[in-house]
């Protein structure tokens, strides 16, 4: 898979670890920054990953900030994005199965690196179930119109 990854200054170390992990798994990772712990603004990176996903430059996205919340809120402002914050693998599986999340987010101040890897594994290993869930996803995007 081709996966975009983005983060703010709170998540540089975890981003680098997750990027390396995804590459070890054989994925191509497009790193949209940042790679410095100098204070920055997470909406820029949430938007960049969101645009890469909806423009089909990548298959999906991973976003990390302090909590995962701010950067996912920003990504969700890009039409077509379904970014979901997860702190454990059950939610990570369900956001793919039920919500067809195209971006997964988590917080570097909330989860450790092993939990982050388990979240990524659960998300990437899941399939969207369609059916009634597709109806609901369509209703979500109707709100954008
Ligand atoms: C940065 O201090 C912090 O606000 C950010 O990483 C994130 O947690 C926002 O939601």
């Amino acid at each position: 898979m081709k996966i975009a990854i983005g983060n703010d200054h709170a998540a540089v170390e975890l981003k680098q670890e997750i990027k390396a992990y995804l590459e070890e798994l054989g994925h191509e990772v497009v790193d949209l920054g940042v790679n410095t712990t100098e204070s920055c603004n997470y909406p820029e990176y949430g938007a960049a990953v969101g645009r890469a996903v909806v423009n089909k430059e990548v298959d999906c996205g991973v976003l990390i900030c302090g909590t995962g919340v701010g950067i996912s809120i920003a990504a969700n402002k890009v039409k077509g994005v379904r970014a979901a914050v997860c702190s454990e693998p059950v939610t990570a599986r369900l956001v793919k199965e039920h919500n067809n999340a195209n971006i997964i987010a988590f917080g570097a101040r909330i989860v450790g690196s092993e939990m982050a890897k388990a979240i990524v594994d659960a998300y990437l290993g899941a399939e969207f179930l369609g059916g009634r869930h597709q109806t609901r996803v369509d209703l979500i995007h109707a709100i954008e119109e």
Side-chain angles (χ1 to χ4, degrees), residues 66-130:
T67 59
V69 173
I71 204 162
S72 61
I73 289 174
N76 277 315
K77 297 297 180 188
V78 178
K79 191 174 173 181
V81 166
R82 294 176 303 282
V85 185
C86 300
S87 298
E88 37 69 35
V90 176
T91 305
R93 172 173 61 80
L94 287 169
V95 300
K96 182 63 184 176
E97 289 183 352
H98 288 200
N99 314 114
N100 202 13
N102 48 17
I103 296 180
I104 195 134
F106 41 86
R109 294 173 179 159
I110 306 298
V111 301
S113 64
E114 291 309 309
M115 182 60 79
K117 288 174 191 170
I119 289 168
V120 164
D121 285 342
Y123 172 71
L124 294 176
E127 295 287 338
F128 180 49
L129 296 177

Side-chain angles (χ1 to χ4, degrees), residues 8-11 40 42 65-71 109:
D8 74 357
H9 55 277
C40 67
Y42 56 77
C65 65
T67 59
V69 173
I71 204 162
R109 294 173 179 159

Side-chain angles (χ1 to χ4, degrees), residues 44-84:
E44 294 173 30
Y45 305 96
V49 169
R51 290 184 183 122
V53 169
V54 299
N55 291 335
K56 301 196 187 305
E57 293 160 25
V58 293
D59 299 302
C60 62
V62 175
L63 287 171
I64 322 172
C65 65
T67 59
V69 173
I71 204 162
S72 61
I73 289 174
N76 277 315
K77 297 297 180 188
V78 178
K79 191 174 173 181
V81 166
R82 294 176 303 282

Side-chain angles (χ1 to χ4, degrees), residues 12 14 22 41 45 71 73 75 84 87 92 103 110 116 118 133 135-136 142:
V12 175
L14 183 58
L22 290 169
N41 298 317
Y45 305 96
I71 204 162
I73 289 174
S87 298
I103 296 180
I110 306 298
H133 303 295
T135 304
R136 293 161 187 166

